[in-house]
Amino acid sequence: MYCNTASYGLPPRPAWEALQSALDEWHGGRTSWEHWGRSTEAARASFARLLDVDIGRVAVGSTVSELIGSVVTALPAEARVVVPDVEFTSTLFPLLVQRRLDVRTVPAARLADAIAEGVEAVAFSAVQMSTGEVADLDAIVAAAEGSGAITLCDATQAVGWLPLQADRFDAVACGGYKWLMSPRGSAFLTVSDRLLERVVPHSAGWYAGENVHESYFGPPLRLASSARRLDLSPAWFSWVGTQPALELIERIGIPAIHAHDLSLANRFRAGIGLEPSDSAIVCADLPGGAERMERAGIIAAVRGGRLRTSWHLYNDEHDVDRVLDVLDR
Ligand SMILES: Cc1ncc(COP(=O)(O)O)c(C=O)c1O
């Protein structure tokens, strides 16, 4: 049994089957590659619809850290950036490596307050991977509007179950392999106009060209005018699996998934004596719990010494009850 989507999501059948047939084509050298690339474009369109943002604002890549690494080039020298102290390092390290920036960590609960005058950017996860905590997005957006701070949101633990509107933020980065149930190797970035103007697309290659298939060789530099200028060349097979996974999520709809995931997470919370919460990820101090789960063949995780379970589409109430049983609750 699997309750660890916060680590990686399980592929829906159409995603698995599409990937198998692409691997078979590859194995036999039976096709050219262009149609694998078309999956990237269909997935980009799905992502734009899911986050209610214009497709021209969506860039694609393989990992969150690379995409965040691109957008932080927009921040000027000495810019003060605030980040929650528990932030995942794929968002934190791309900032810290820019030694020209003044990066300060603050307790997650104080993030909105810390976006005061003088702060030029805030970088944070919409949902924290180590605690499951959902950020106070309204408070962060309001504080940033007040001070003019750039907002960089890592929504990897959110998109796929938490309703989110990307154009509330200057940038939203998201890996596909967790709540979007896609293979490792597909990731998205949305960018605002003011950010796109300032970013240096330092990983640009042929796929960042205005016309991809006329950008194979030779100068001049001819990058896309839209967010596609931040594209990284697609890892084909990852995208072949990502397209059907996103289409399935669109068909079911985020509101329905949100309700399903939260009802399971809160059923589990009730079983271990916790108040209901607003997260599909539950982190709890349950001494010996991880060992019991492992012995029972249930896949969960331990983060910061606490048992982390995460509940998604393929889980149901029986799964929750089984885990509670194994935990003797
Ligand atoms: C919040 C968050 N962002 C990003 C990632 C993955 O980042 P990357 O694609 O750079 O490996 C994870 C993985 O656990 C995560 O929890």
Side-chain angles (χ1 to χ4, degrees):
M1 207 212 98
Y2 191 82
C3 51
N4 197 17
T5 301
S7 287
Y8 68 88
L10 308 185
R13 191 176 303 124
W16 174 255
E17 286 171 356
L19 183 56
Q20 300 318 304
S21 66
L23 291 175
D24 193 55
E25 289 169 355
W26 176 45
H27 187 229
R30 271 192 282 283
T31 69
S32 186
W33 51 272
E34 287 82 354
H35 71 287
W36 296 329
R38 281 196 280 280
S39 299
T40 313
E41 295 314 314
R44 189 198 314 264
S46 264
F47 189 82
R49 287 190 295 268
L50 283 170
L51 274 84
D52 198 13
V53 71
D54 188 273
I55 193 169
R57 293 194 187 283
V58 182
V60 296
S62 293
T63 64
V64 167
S65 34
E66 289 167 294
L67 293 169
I68 298 274
S70 282
V71 286
V72 298
T73 59
L75 303 175
E78 312 297 329
R80 189 184 305 165
V81 188
V82 287
V83 187
D85 52 9
V86 292
E87 189 55 45
F88 189 65
T89 43
S90 284
T91 297
L92 179 64
F93 282 1
L95 289 161
L96 291 181
V97 295
Q98 298 278 346
R99 295 192 183 280
R100 61 198 183 82
L101 299 175
D102 174 12
V103 182
R104 302 190 184 186
T105 54
V106 298
R110 284 203 43 248
L111 190 65
D113 294 338
I115 310 170
E117 282 302 314
V119 166
E120 283 179 68
V122 54
F124 64 98
S125 282
V127 178
Q128 285 295 340
M129 62 85 77
S130 59
T131 61
E133 199 182 334
V134 180
D136 187 344
L137 300 176
D138 292 341
I140 292 169
V141 167
E145 272 170 10
S147 70
I150 297 266
T151 47
L152 310 177
C153 174
D154 178 345
T156 303
Q157 296 289 1
V159 182
W161 73 270
L162 185 74
L164 201 78
Q165 217 184 316
D167 60 9
R168 300 185 78 194
F169 309 98
D170 287 291
V172 174
C174 176
Y177 71 104
K178 296 177 188 284
W179 303 89
L180 293 176
M181 303 179 292
S182 299
R184 181 62 148 140
S186 59
F188 302 88
L189 174 77
T190 70
V191 279
S192 65
D193 284 340
R194 69 170 177 169
L195 199 58
L196 189 59
E197 268 166 25
R198 300 182 212 169
V199 166
V200 181
H202 61 180
S203 299
W206 65 283
Y207 209 71
E210 183 70 68
N211 183 331
V212 168
H213 298 294
E214 287 173 11
S215 304
Y216 293 166
F217 45 86
L221 180 65
R222 46 197 188 278
L223 297 187
S225 52
S226 70
R228 284 206 305 103
R229 63 171 53 207
L230 301 176
D231 277 7
L232 301 159
S233 308
W236 293 318
F237 302 117
S238 301
W239 289 102
V240 164
T242 299
Q243 175 190 355
L246 264 62
E247 286 171 356
L248 179 76
I249 289 172
E250 280 195 87
R251 275 203 300 281
I252 299 171
I254 297 286
I257 301 174
H258 181 241
H260 172 84
D261 290 9
L262 279 192
S263 86
L264 297 183
N266 283 331
R267 183 182 182 92
F268 180 64
R269 292 179 73 89
I272 57 171
L274 296 177
E275 294 291 310
S277 95
D278 57 355
S279 183
I281 301 175
V282 182
C283 293
D285 281 316
L286 294 167
E291 293 73 17
R292 281 170 179 256
M293 301 272 276
E294 201 180 334
R295 278 199 299 277
I298 300 174
I299 310 292
V302 175
R303 292 289 179 273
R306 301 198 300 163
L307 181 69
R308 186 187 71 186
T309 56
S310 33
W311 304 93
H312 203 25
L313 267 181
Y314 28 73
N315 294 120
D316 61 19
E317 295 182 349
H318 298 293
D319 292 345
V320 177
D321 296 346
R322 164 115 200 274
V323 173
L324 290 171
D325 215 33
V326 164
L327 293 172
D328 207 12
R329 297 286 171 149

